[in-house]
Amino acid sequence: DQQVKQNSPSLSVQEGRISILNCDYTNSMFDYFLWYKKYPAEGPTFLISISSIKDKNEDGRFTVFLNKSAKHLSLHIVPSQPGDSAVYFCAASAVSDYGGSQGNLIFGKGTKLSVKP
Amino acid sequence: EAGVAQSPRYKIIEKRQSVAFWCNPISGHATLYWYQQILGQGPKLLIQFQNNGVVDDSQLPKDRFSAERLKGVDSTLKIQPAKLEDSAVYLCASSFWDRVAETQYFGPGTRLLVL
Protein backbone atom coordinates (compact mmCIF):
# COMPACT_ATOMS: atom_id res chain seq x y z
CA ASP A 1 0.00 0.00 0.00
CA GLN A 2 1.95 2.94 -1.32
CA GLN A 3 1.12 6.22 0.32
CA VAL A 4 3.35 8.24 -1.99
CA LYS A 5 3.30 7.37 -5.67
CA GLN A 6 5.53 8.43 -8.51
CA ASN A 7 3.96 6.73 -11.48
CA SER A 8 6.60 7.63 -14.05
CA PRO A 9 9.78 5.59 -13.53
CA SER A 10 11.65 7.69 -16.06
CA LEU A 11 11.51 10.96 -17.96
CA SER A 12 13.65 12.24 -20.80
CA VAL A 13 13.77 15.91 -21.81
CA GLN A 14 15.91 18.11 -23.99
CA GLU A 15 18.33 20.57 -22.45
CA GLY A 16 16.71 23.97 -22.01
CA ARG A 17 13.17 22.60 -21.92
CA ILE A 18 10.94 22.16 -18.90
CA SER A 19 10.99 18.98 -16.83
CA ILE A 20 7.82 18.12 -14.93
CA LEU A 21 7.93 15.36 -12.34
CA ASN A 22 4.69 14.25 -10.74
CA CYS A 23 3.78 12.77 -7.39
CA ASP A 24 0.48 11.62 -5.86
CA TYR A 25 -0.28 10.77 -2.26
CA THR A 26 -3.12 9.00 -0.52
CA ASN A 27 -2.75 9.91 3.16
CA SER A 28 -4.72 13.06 3.96
CA MET A 29 -2.65 13.48 7.15
CA PHE A 30 0.39 14.44 5.09
CA ASP A 31 1.00 18.12 5.41
CA TYR A 32 4.60 18.57 4.33
CA PHE A 33 6.15 17.51 1.05
CA LEU A 34 9.73 17.38 -0.11
CA TRP A 35 11.72 16.57 -3.20
CA TYR A 36 15.11 14.89 -2.99
CA LYS A 37 17.61 14.40 -5.78
CA LYS A 38 19.90 11.41 -5.92
CA TYR A 39 22.98 10.76 -8.04
CA PRO A 40 24.36 7.22 -8.38
CA ALA A 41 26.43 6.05 -5.41
CA GLU A 42 25.45 9.11 -3.38
CA GLY A 43 22.82 9.71 -0.74
CA PRO A 44 19.68 11.75 -1.50
CA THR A 45 20.10 15.52 -1.38
CA PHE A 46 17.28 17.81 -0.29
CA LEU A 47 16.03 19.98 -3.14
CA ILE A 48 12.85 21.83 -2.23
CA SER A 49 9.84 21.50 0.06
CA ILE A 50 6.31 22.81 0.45
CA SER A 51 3.78 22.80 3.26
CA SER A 52 0.07 22.34 2.74
CA ILE A 53 -0.68 25.98 3.53
CA LYS A 54 0.97 26.91 0.25
CA ASP A 55 0.27 25.88 -3.32
CA LYS A 56 3.61 26.92 -4.78
CA ASN A 57 7.21 27.26 -3.69
CA GLU A 58 10.00 28.45 -5.93
CA ASP A 59 13.76 28.24 -5.62
CA GLY A 60 15.72 29.29 -8.65
CA ARG A 61 15.04 26.89 -11.49
CA PHE A 62 12.96 24.62 -9.27
CA THR A 63 9.28 25.13 -8.48
CA VAL A 64 7.01 22.78 -6.58
CA PHE A 65 3.24 22.98 -7.00
CA LEU A 66 0.77 21.42 -4.57
CA ASN A 67 -2.86 20.62 -5.33
CA LYS A 68 -4.15 19.47 -1.98
CA SER A 69 -7.66 18.66 -3.16
CA ALA A 70 -6.25 16.32 -5.81
CA LYS A 71 -3.52 15.05 -3.45
CA HIS A 72 -1.01 15.82 -6.18
CA LEU A 73 2.25 17.69 -6.36
CA SER A 74 4.69 18.36 -9.14
CA LEU A 75 8.26 19.56 -9.50
CA HIS A 76 9.08 21.85 -12.41
CA ILE A 77 12.65 22.40 -13.52
CA VAL A 78 13.14 25.28 -15.94
CA PRO A 79 15.38 25.32 -17.87
CA SER A 80 16.56 21.73 -17.58
CA GLN A 81 20.32 21.14 -17.63
CA PRO A 82 22.32 17.94 -18.22
CA GLY A 83 23.53 18.15 -14.59
CA ASP A 84 19.92 17.71 -13.48
CA SER A 85 20.02 14.12 -14.68
CA ALA A 86 19.37 12.09 -11.53
CA VAL A 87 16.67 10.18 -9.69
CA TYR A 88 14.12 12.45 -8.04
CA PHE A 89 12.23 11.26 -4.99
CA CYS A 90 9.03 12.76 -3.69
CA ALA A 91 8.58 12.42 0.08
CA ALA A 92 5.82 13.31 2.52
CA SER A 93 5.45 13.78 6.24
CA ALA A 94 3.01 14.99 8.81
CA VAL A 95 3.61 18.42 10.31
CA SER A 96 4.97 18.55 13.84
CA ASP A 97 3.54 20.71 16.59
CA TYR A 98 6.18 23.30 15.89
CA GLY A 99 5.79 23.40 12.10
CA GLY A 100 8.02 21.70 9.58
CA SER A 101 8.21 17.98 9.12
CA GLN A 102 8.11 15.41 11.89
CA GLY A 103 11.10 13.83 10.23
CA ASN A 104 9.53 10.45 9.45
CA LEU A 105 9.59 10.70 5.67
CA ILE A 106 7.54 8.47 3.37
CA PHE A 107 9.24 8.26 -0.01
CA GLY A 108 7.93 7.46 -3.48
CA LYS A 109 9.80 5.06 -5.75
CA GLY A 110 11.51 7.84 -7.65
CA THR A 111 11.62 9.13 -11.22
CA LYS A 112 14.82 8.95 -13.22
CA LEU A 113 15.29 12.18 -15.16
CA SER A 114 17.57 12.26 -18.18
CA VAL A 115 18.36 15.65 -19.69
CA LYS A 116 19.85 15.33 -23.16
CA PRO A 117 22.20 17.99 -24.54
CA GLU B 1 31.56 20.99 7.02
CA ALA B 2 32.05 17.23 6.85
CA GLY B 3 29.05 15.23 5.71
CA VAL B 4 27.50 12.07 7.10
CA ALA B 5 30.04 9.27 6.99
CA GLN B 6 29.14 5.62 6.54
CA SER B 7 31.17 2.46 6.38
CA PRO B 8 31.64 0.09 4.78
CA ARG B 9 30.46 1.28 1.38
CA TYR B 10 29.86 -2.25 0.14
CA LYS B 11 29.34 -5.59 1.84
CA ILE B 12 28.69 -9.05 0.48
CA ILE B 13 27.69 -11.81 2.89
CA GLU B 14 25.94 -15.14 2.81
CA LYS B 15 22.49 -15.60 4.26
CA ARG B 16 22.41 -16.32 7.99
CA GLN B 17 25.61 -14.39 8.51
CA SER B 18 25.79 -11.22 10.58
CA VAL B 19 26.71 -7.75 9.40
CA ALA B 20 27.09 -4.33 10.97
CA PHE B 21 27.04 -0.86 9.49
CA TRP B 22 28.49 2.27 11.03
CA CYS B 23 27.38 5.87 10.74
CA ASN B 24 28.99 9.08 11.92
CA PRO B 25 26.55 11.99 11.65
CA ILE B 26 27.35 15.62 11.08
CA SER B 27 28.79 17.16 14.20
CA GLY B 28 26.11 18.64 16.43
CA HIS B 29 23.21 16.84 14.78
CA ALA B 30 20.92 15.48 17.45
CA THR B 31 18.71 13.35 15.24
CA LEU B 32 19.91 10.30 13.36
CA TYR B 33 17.95 8.11 10.97
CA TRP B 34 18.56 4.73 9.37
CA TYR B 35 16.74 4.04 6.11
CA GLN B 36 16.59 0.91 3.97
CA GLN B 37 16.37 1.38 0.21
CA ILE B 38 15.58 -1.74 -1.79
CA LEU B 39 16.35 -1.58 -5.50
CA GLY B 40 13.61 0.25 -7.36
CA GLN B 41 12.03 1.59 -4.19
CA GLY B 42 12.30 4.78 -2.20
CA PRO B 43 14.07 4.84 1.16
CA LYS B 44 12.08 3.42 4.07
CA LEU B 45 12.71 4.56 7.63
CA LEU B 46 13.94 1.82 9.93
CA ILE B 47 14.74 3.75 13.09
CA GLN B 48 15.05 7.32 14.31
CA PHE B 49 17.19 8.44 17.24
CA GLN B 50 17.02 11.71 19.12
CA ASN B 51 20.40 11.95 20.84
CA ASN B 52 20.81 8.39 22.16
CA GLY B 53 17.10 7.66 22.62
CA VAL B 54 14.86 5.89 20.12
CA VAL B 55 12.04 8.06 18.74
CA ASP B 56 10.57 5.64 16.21
CA ASP B 57 11.51 2.03 15.49
CA SER B 58 8.09 0.84 14.36
CA GLN B 59 9.39 -0.43 11.00
CA LEU B 60 12.53 -2.10 12.33
CA PRO B 61 12.36 -5.93 12.08
CA LYS B 62 13.41 -6.41 15.65
CA ASP B 63 13.83 -10.17 15.40
CA ARG B 64 16.94 -9.65 13.28
CA PHE B 65 17.77 -5.95 13.19
CA SER B 66 19.18 -3.91 16.04
CA ALA B 67 20.57 -0.41 16.27
CA GLU B 68 22.25 1.68 18.88
CA ARG B 69 23.58 5.16 19.20
CA LEU B 70 26.14 5.31 21.93
CA LYS B 71 26.69 8.68 23.58
CA GLY B 72 24.32 10.28 21.10
CA VAL B 73 26.90 10.46 18.32
CA ASP B 74 27.91 7.46 16.18
CA SER B 75 25.43 4.74 15.43
CA THR B 76 25.61 1.12 14.37
CA LEU B 77 22.95 -0.95 12.64
CA LYS B 78 23.25 -4.74 12.87
CA ILE B 79 21.53 -7.56 11.04
CA GLN B 80 21.72 -11.01 12.59
CA PRO B 81 21.03 -13.33 10.84
CA ALA B 82 20.76 -11.82 7.36
CA LYS B 83 18.19 -12.95 4.82
CA LEU B 84 18.22 -12.65 1.05
CA GLU B 85 15.56 -9.92 1.20
CA ASP B 86 17.86 -7.73 3.28
CA SER B 87 19.86 -6.93 0.14
CA ALA B 88 19.52 -3.17 -0.12
CA VAL B 89 21.28 0.14 0.38
CA TYR B 90 21.29 1.24 4.00
CA LEU B 91 21.26 5.00 4.30
CA CYS B 92 22.09 6.98 7.38
CA ALA B 93 20.87 10.56 7.71
CA SER B 94 21.21 13.19 10.38
CA SER B 95 19.56 16.47 11.18
CA PHE B 96 20.09 19.28 13.62
CA TRP B 97 16.55 19.09 14.82
CA ASP B 98 13.88 16.60 13.91
CA ARG B 99 11.19 19.19 13.29
CA VAL B 100 12.43 20.30 9.91
CA ALA B 101 12.93 17.58 7.34
CA GLU B 102 14.94 19.63 4.92
CA THR B 103 17.84 19.51 7.32
CA GLN B 104 18.14 15.76 6.86
CA TYR B 105 21.57 15.12 5.38
CA PHE B 106 22.15 11.69 3.94
CA GLY B 107 25.34 9.70 3.84
CA PRO B 108 26.44 7.79 0.72
CA GLY B 109 24.93 4.55 2.00
CA THR B 110 26.16 1.00 2.45
CA ARG B 111 25.22 -1.39 -0.31
CA LEU B 112 24.54 -4.86 1.10
CA LEU B 113 24.27 -7.98 -1.00
CA VAL B 114 23.11 -11.18 0.71
CA LEU B 115 23.82 -14.36 -1.24
Side-chain angles (χ1 to χ4, degrees), chain B residues 62 92 104 114:
Chain B
K62 298 180 186 63
C92 179
Q104 280 194 40
V114 182

Side-chain angles (χ1 to χ4, degrees), chain A residues 59-89:
Chain A
D59 183 3
R61 296 185 297 114
F62 303 91
T63 303
V64 57
F65 295 92
L66 175 63
N67 183 334
K68 198 175 177 183
S69 62
K71 294 189 177 66
H72 176 84
L73 63 155
S74 60
L75 174 68
H76 292 211
I77 306 174
V78 182
S80 301
Q81 299 173 355
D84 296 329
S85 297
V87 176
Y88 289 78
F89 289 99

Side-chain angles (χ1 to χ4, degrees), chain B residues 80-99:
Chain B
Q80 179 179 7
K83 292 185 175 181
L84 296 177
E85 58 261 35
D86 297 331
S87 295
V89 176
Y90 291 84
L91 293 162
C92 179
S94 71
S95 65
F96 178 72
W97 187 245
D98 68 340
R99 297 167 183 171

Side-chain angles (χ1 to χ4, degrees), chain A residues 2 32 34 36 38 41-46 49 87 89 93 96 98-110, chain B residues 9-10 33 35 37 40-45 48 56 59 91 98-109 111:
Chain A
Q2 268 203 293
Y32 203 75
L34 308 94
Y36 278 81
K38 187 180 183 303
E42 294 184 12
T45 303
F46 169 74
S49 65
V87 176
F89 289 99
S93 179
S96 71
Y98 301 90
S101 166
Q102 283 186 339
N104 180 6
L105 298 177
I106 309 297
F107 283 84
K109 290 185 177 182
Chain B
R9 292 296 308 275
Y10 304 92
Y33 311 82
Y35 289 85
Q37 185 180 11
Q41 305 287 323
K44 183 185 82 170
L45 180 72
Q48 176 183 346
D56 183 358
Q59 298 193 86
L91 293 162
D98 68 340
R99 297 167 183 171
V100 184
E102 57 258 45
T103 60
Q104 280 194 40
Y105 296 91
F106 283 82
R111 186 177 297 274

Side-chain angles (χ1 to χ4, degrees), chain A:
Chain A
D1 179 26
Q2 268 203 293
Q3 299 185 67
V4 177
K5 300 177 184 178
Q6 293 178 259
N7 292 320
S8 298
S10 62
L11 175 67
S12 182
V13 299
Q14 207 68 29
E15 181 179 7
R17 306 294 291 269
I18 185 172
S19 295
I20 300 176
L21 296 97
N22 293 304
C23 178
D24 297 291
Y25 62 97
T26 57
N27 190 337
S28 58
M29 296 301 292
F30 289 149
D31 262 349
Y32 203 75
F33 305 91
L34 308 94
W35 286 93
Y36 278 81
K37 175 180 179 179
K38 187 180 183 303
Y39 292 118
E42 294 184 12
T45 303
F46 169 74
L47 196 56
I48 193 168
S49 65
I50 188 167
S51 73
S52 61
I53 61 174
K54 294 184 176 181
D55 55 16
K56 176 183 174 182
N57 189 25
E58 190 172 354
D59 183 3
R61 296 185 297 114
F62 303 91
T63 303
V64 57
F65 295 92
L66 175 63
N67 183 334
K68 198 175 177 183
S69 62
K71 294 189 177 66
H72 176 84
L73 63 155
S74 60
L75 174 68
H76 292 211
I77 306 174
V78 182
S80 301
Q81 299 173 355
D84 296 329
S85 297
V87 176
Y88 289 78
F89 289 99
C90 173
S93 179
V95 176
S96 71
D97 293 338
Y98 301 90
S101 166
Q102 283 186 339
N104 180 6
L105 298 177
I106 309 297
F107 283 84
K109 290 185 177 182
T111 296
K112 184 175 182 179
L113 174 65
S114 299
V115 181
K116 300 184 184 304

